[in-house]
Amino acid sequence: MLLSQLPEDVLYHVLSYLDCRSLSRLSQACTSMRRFVNRDAVWRKIAKERLNTGITRNGTDIYPHIPLKERVRRAQNWCHGSCRKAVALKWKTKLMPWLQLDGDVLFLSQAADIGVYHLRQDLGRVQHSPFEVYSGHKGDVCRFVLTDSCLISGGSDGKILVQSRRRDMAVELSGHKEEVNCLDSKEALIISGSRDQTARIWTLTSTTPTVTIPMYDRVWSVAINPTLSSFVTGTACCKNFSPLRIWDVERSACVCSLGSEFRRGAGVLDIVFESPFQLFTCGYDTFIRLWDLRLSTQKCVMEWEEPHDSTLYCIQTDGNHMIASGSSYYGVVRLWDKRKTECLQFFQLSSDTVSSPVYCLRITSSHLYAALATTLHSLDYR
């Protein structure tokens, strides 16, 4: 009996013992074997172990429209640092931009406006001019988030704007006395944090906050738990309490504080929920930390240290094994494998003479986009 004549379930089992290179060679044996090997089911086990293939830890496929074999090939490029670097956009004035991705569309804040750009995925480029612009702030946009129907932004003018993505509605939320450093939104819930040392809970149905929580310190970052039952705040750590605290949404009460050994000034600049009980943080103390929020532990379970002792402004994860971080000097982006303590790859995006932090970064299966003070960089891993 030929190998291709085996029952499919038996053949799947046989191929599960092969590595990436062996499967690629086998697909060249004949047409029927190539068709079989190219099926996603053959590559799923390998894809779960690779970086940024879109297979999350719980098995969810983020990019079902891209063949798994192609994503495994790209994952090898992520691992080995094989990419094409390009400056996608430039501007003259130094800013602190923020960006978000929605499919083949990129949202980028520049001063008081948020521009919307088409991504040319076939060429790995960003359209030079925005096809749409959201405005309304009297100061710079500090943070913004996207929902299915709205763009919600916080500015240095202390205002929060909720603008319909269909452009048929715009609502101004007033309450903060100073700049809105951070915000997050899921469904109808909005959480904001400000330099005025308060965190506020809002809903899309009201223009005033439902709850104002005194934080007694500047709030640099917030993140809502995917369950919507709680949220986390990260403060500047200029007071005698932990900069990381978990709050119950319904009771507006502090549930617990995370960590106890933060040095003064070790503020938390970015917070990312990977699951309801897995939380990543980074900030001035140069560490990426993974926190286990299950009731039995609620502690830091892993740490990754920026080797050049630089502040970490932002982090992103692929939902499985990869972390990407942006540091405060020379536009350095680092890729980390959670299963290792050492940095996997790093890229310096700004020149030796002009240093800029990486204020925000976003990843897809094939690209990494990093926003610096005067440039938006694109790293193409295809």
Side-chain angles (χ1 to χ4, degrees), residues 66-324:
I66 305 175
L68 271 179
K69 181 181 179 182
E70 171 62 18
R71 282 185 268 165
V72 169
R73 185 189 67 79
R74 295 177 185 178
Q76 290 181 305
N77 293 337
W78 283 94
C79 184
H80 297 129
S82 302
C83 67
R84 295 190 298 272
K85 293 188 289 183
V87 176
L89 292 172
K90 283 185 178 182
W91 51 91
K92 294 181 179 180
T93 306
K94 287 188 176 182
L95 304 172
M96 298 176 66
W98 194 254
L99 64 91
Q100 297 283 3
L101 296 177
D102 184 16
D104 60 354
V105 175
L106 181 143
F107 292 73
L108 176 69
S109 67
Q110 294 171 296
D113 298 327
I114 300 172
V116 189
Y117 299 82
H118 282 303
L119 294 177
R120 297 289 304 276
Q121 295 286 8
D122 54 334
L123 300 176
R125 298 175 183 171
V126 178
Q127 181 186 20
H128 289 296
S129 299
F131 68 87
E132 194 171 6
V133 175
Y134 290 84
S135 58
H137 285 282
K138 296 179 181 179
D140 288 356
V141 174
C142 299
R143 290 288 188 275
F144 68 90
V145 294
L146 296 174
T147 67
D148 291 339
S149 59
C150 295
L151 186 151
I152 306 167
S153 58
S156 60
D157 54 4
K159 307 295 185 184
I160 297 173
L161 293 182
V162 180
Q163 302 182 69
S164 170
R165 295 177 65 174
R166 297 189 301 271
R167 308 311 294 266
D168 58 356
M169 178 272 291
V171 177
E172 182 179 296
L173 310 182
S174 300
H176 285 294
K177 298 177 181 179
E178 297 185 49
E179 66 186 53
V180 180
N181 293 318
C182 53
L183 58 82
D184 194 12
S185 177
K186 286 182 172 58
E187 296 186 9
L189 177 66
I190 302 173
I191 307 293
S192 63
S194 171
R195 185 182 285 270
D196 65 9
Q197 302 189 9
T198 64
R200 298 175 190 248
I201 303 175
W202 315 74
T203 64
L204 292 177
T205 58
S206 175
T207 58
T208 57
T210 58
V211 177
T212 298
I213 304 173
M215 301 294 295
Y216 308 106
D217 203 353
R218 290 168 294 175
V219 185
W220 288 138
S221 53
V222 296
I224 300 173
N225 193 303
T227 63
L228 304 181
S229 62
S230 64
F231 65 94
V232 179
T233 57
T235 59
C237 200
C238 294
K239 306 295 182 179
N240 295 321
F241 47 75
S242 170
L244 272 172
R245 283 177 284 177
I246 302 176
W247 302 82
D248 184 273
V249 170
E250 186 175 348
R251 295 184 291 116
S252 306
C254 181
V255 176
C256 71
S257 297
L258 299 177
S260 59
E261 298 179 356
F262 291 92
R263 67 176 184 267
R264 188 175 180 84
V268 178
L269 295 178
D270 201 7
I271 303 173
V272 175
F273 270 103
E274 193 170 76
S275 73
F277 57 86
Q278 287 184 314
L279 181 75
F280 285 89
T281 64
C282 71
Y284 284 110
D285 67 351
T286 76
F287 280 92
I288 301 171
R289 288 187 170 91
L290 170 60
W291 303 86
D292 188 332
L293 303 185
R294 285 171 287 197
L295 292 177
S296 59
T297 56
Q298 289 188 339
K299 64 179 182 180
C300 178
V301 292
M302 288 195 72
E303 292 181 341
W304 297 267
E305 184 178 9
E306 159 63 39
H308 291 163
D309 200 32
S310 299
T311 297
L312 295 175
Y313 272 65
C314 54
I315 49 175
Q316 280 282 285
T317 77
D318 68 345
N320 197 358
H321 297 303
M322 193 183 83
I323 310 171

